[in-house]
Amino acid sequence: MKRKLLFGECMLLGDGTEPFNTVIPFRLKGRFVLKDVEHALNVLQAKHPWLNAVIKYDENKAPWFEVTERKIIIPIRTVHRKGEEQWQEESKKEWHTVFDSKENPLIRFVWIEGGDVSDMLFVFHHCLCDGGSAMTLLHEFLQLLDNPSVQINLENPILGIQDVVPNDILSNRRQQLKAKLIGRLASTVIKCIAIEKRGIDRKKDYLIHWKFDTETTKEIISFCKYQEVTVNTFLSAVVLQAFKKTRKKAFNKVSCPVDIRRFAPQIKDNHIFAFGLMIVVSLNKKISFEENLKLIQQAVEKKTSKLNPYLTMMVLESAHDAVKKFTKLLKFGKSSNDCMFSNLGRIQIPSEYQQFSLENVFSPSVIGPLGNTTTMVTSTFCGEMDFSFIGSEGYLSYVEALTIRDEMIKTIQQQLESLVVS
């Protein structure tokens, strides 16, 4: 079984020599043995074909996911747990560890073993799967770790664009022509753009983690309902406000991923897939924070309604000859946004199992070589809103990042207090 990588997946893979890794950390309370962890991972591989895939290149040097005949095993790295924050240090190690994609799977596992409490990390190459896929795999892993005989549904894998884009659109001559014309134009423009020979030295990478307790999280949700905006809109505005107050040269732009599954029902929760959509939001500096919430909500709804994943995929697939130039453009071009902000929302994974309890699912972290690494990921598990702030000194200093975090917390508290007063 094999399939050619889509445009976006090729971009994330690059030439395979630099890491672009996503880390999913979680904490379990209970005792485990290695063979049970190995069994759970083996069953996941049996149910999800692309977890058995390596990267192969055809005669045109195009990369393919290919499930080989030989058995490949998900690597497990075990370390002794020395403290509550060790998962952060191990996450950073995994950011910088390149996948040997020609010989090994694009997934590995870290077990920080601590007796009654263990921290564990799923690590994926970002070209393999997105946050939605990762959460499904985590849920299935926990079910198997708790009960080795539990039945997990077999994934019917995506084998190409034809499994995502409906046939009536994919075979429509008008849509084909439109996609080809836009793709050719984009490809020509990309090829004509001059690229710097050297990118910004990103220097040391860092991870800042914090969370809100259940009471504060409830208050944030109530505030958003009162303001008639989504939590994502509120937090995006908070991020923009924090950058504006902290940095003189802030771009006033935050990129927000949008889950393609909202628009393409062909992509199921258990599909291993990594194609993303994106919108950009900004503040109007002439109006108040509260007024900006309404404005951003309107902008998000308008931009989201215009997203067309099917046409976008068709356009990109017609521009494969420009993927290397586009990747270099992202890698060496100047940054034009402050941050990527991703809200996974409520993680709907049970916390209690027969053999153990899931104490925490920390917000994932992701870092790669394509330009500005500044990324913030938030998620909510067991009623607590959790944040991972990833960055590099060459783009945003650690001291500035701490100030941005503090400014975010301050802004949120001020808004919650204003609701109480009103």
Side-chain angles (χ1 to χ4, degrees):
M1 181 185 296
K2 65 179 183 178
R3 78 164 172 88
K4 189 176 180 180
L5 270 69
L6 300 174
F7 183 99
E9 295 166 337
C10 289
M11 182 187 72
L12 295 171
L13 177 66
D15 62 6
T17 64
E18 295 179 287
F20 201 147
N21 301 343
T22 302
V23 181
I24 316 292
F26 56 100
R27 177 168 294 162
L28 301 179
K29 187 175 182 179
R31 286 189 170 269
F32 311 94
V33 294
L34 182 58
K35 67 178 182 65
D36 289 337
V37 175
E38 291 173 336
H39 172 79
L41 294 175
N42 286 336
V43 175
L44 283 184
Q45 279 186 295
K47 298 297 182 180
H48 299 280
W50 300 132
L51 298 185
N52 297 282
V54 296
I55 299 293
K56 297 292 184 180
Y57 293 85
D58 63 21
E59 63 277 6
N60 297 316
K61 297 183 179 180
W64 291 65
F65 291 123
E66 183 173 316
V67 178
T68 62
E69 293 182 1
R70 66 182 178 87
K71 172 67 176 175
I72 58 174
I73 298 172
I74 296 175
I76 302 174
R77 182 167 67 88
T78 304
V79 295
H80 178 65
R81 190 171 188 267
K82 298 177 181 178
E84 294 283 302
E85 309 301 323
Q86 190 176 349
W87 65 269
Q88 297 183 36
E89 294 306 312
E90 298 302 332
S91 293
K92 287 184 277 188
K93 285 182 184 177
E94 292 300 326
W95 292 348
H96 303 130
T97 304
V98 179
F99 279 95
D100 181 8
S101 59
K102 294 181 181 180
E103 298 294 332
N104 295 315
L106 297 169
I107 171 178
R108 56 180 179 257
F109 192 84
V110 180
W111 179 11
I112 308 172
E113 199 277 325
D116 291 333
V117 177
S118 288
D119 292 330
M120 298 182 177
L121 314 175
F122 264 116
V123 187
F124 306 93
H125 194 294
H126 198 18
C127 75
L128 181 69
C129 73
D130 60 6
S133 303
M135 288 301 121
T136 294
L137 290 173
L138 173 56
H139 187 195
E140 292 177 348
F141 171 80
L142 294 171
Q143 291 176 287
L144 290 161
L145 190 61
D146 186 49
N147 178 8
S149 62
V150 72
Q151 294 298 308
I152 301 297
N153 291 330
L154 178 66
E155 177 193 355
N156 183 20
I158 291 172
L159 297 176
I161 189 173
Q162 71 279 1
D163 291 335
V164 178
V165 180
N167 185 61
D168 60 331
I169 297 176
L170 192 62
S171 61
N172 184 289
R173 288 188 174 274
R174 184 176 179 182
Q175 292 292 326
Q176 289 176 348
L177 180 61
K178 183 177 181 180
K180 191 171 183 178
L181 287 173
I182 297 173
R184 291 295 86 211
L185 177 61
S187 180
T188 302
V189 171
I190 290 170
K191 290 178 180 179
C192 293
I193 297 175
I195 300 176
E196 297 287 338
K197 292 184 178 181
R198 295 182 62 184
I200 294 174
D201 179 7
R202 82 186 204 193
K203 302 177 183 177
K204 186 178 181 180
D205 302 322
Y206 54 81
L207 169 63
I208 300 171
H209 173 260
W210 76 97
K211 66 168 49 193
F212 292 121
D213 60 22
T214 54
E215 186 60 34
T216 303
T217 302
K218 286 180 181 177
E219 290 175 0
I220 291 172
I221 294 170
S222 296
F223 173 85
C224 293
K225 289 180 178 178
Y226 177 78
Q227 293 286 353
E228 296 182 329
V229 299
T230 64
V231 172
N232 193 71
T233 290
F234 174 59
L235 293 177
S236 296
V238 169
V239 173
L240 285 162
Q241 180 89 337
F243 270 90
K244 185 184 78 170
K245 288 190 174 182
T246 303
R247 308 197 81 194
K248 291 182 180 180
K249 296 182 179 180
F251 295 102
N252 189 29
K253 290 182 180 179
V254 167
S255 302
C256 298
V258 179
D259 189 355
I260 191 174
R261 291 167 181 79
R262 290 174 53 184
F263 307 91
Q266 296 85 349
I267 306 174
K268 308 302 180 184
D269 288 340
N270 74 334
H271 272 138
I272 305 300
F273 195 64
F275 184 87
L277 301 169
M278 197 80 69
I279 62 172
V280 176
V281 296
S282 301
L283 290 174
N284 184 329
K285 298 178 182 180
K286 297 180 180 180
I287 60 178
S288 68
F289 181 84
E290 291 77 11
E291 291 172 314
N292 263 297
L293 289 180
K294 307 292 186 184
L295 198 64
I296 292 175
Q297 185 64 49
Q298 292 171 4
V300 167
E301 291 172 359
K302 184 176 180 179
K303 290 180 179 181
T304 303
S305 68
K306 291 182 178 181
L307 290 175
N308 187 334
Y310 302 138
L311 179 60
T312 300
M313 290 188 72
M314 292 172 68
V315 167
L316 292 176
E317 289 310 290
S318 68
H320 263 276
D321 60 321
V323 67
K324 289 185 179 180
K325 183 71 180 286
F326 185 61
T327 303
K328 287 183 179 179
L329 184 64
L330 292 177
K331 184 176 181 180
F332 298 115
K334 292 183 179 180
S335 178
S336 60
N337 72 322
D338 295 300
C339 177
M340 187 188 81
F341 174 69
S342 177
N343 179 15
L344 293 180
R346 186 164 66 91
I347 296 176
Q348 300 184 38
I349 297 177
S351 61
E352 295 299 325
Y353 298 80
Q354 293 182 13
Q355 307 298 327
F356 57 84
S357 60
L358 178 60
E359 295 288 289
N360 216 327
V361 179
F362 303 102
S363 291
S365 61
V366 60
I367 196 165
L370 301 184
N372 191 349
T373 59
T374 312
T375 303
M376 197 175 299
V377 184
T378 185
S379 59
T380 301
F381 178 71
C382 285
E384 295 184 331
M385 193 172 288
D386 184 276
F387 293 81
S388 288
F389 191 0
I390 306 101
S392 306
E393 289 277 0
Y395 290 99
L396 178 70
S397 74
Y398 181 71
V399 172
E400 284 181 303
L402 288 175
T403 304
I404 287 169
R405 176 204 61 186
D406 294 342
E407 191 63 46
M408 286 180 62
I409 294 172
K410 178 182 175 182
T411 300
I412 289 172
Q413 290 174 338
Q414 288 175 339
Q415 294 302 312
L416 297 183
E417 288 169 3
S418 70
L419 180 61
V420 173
V421 172
S422 62

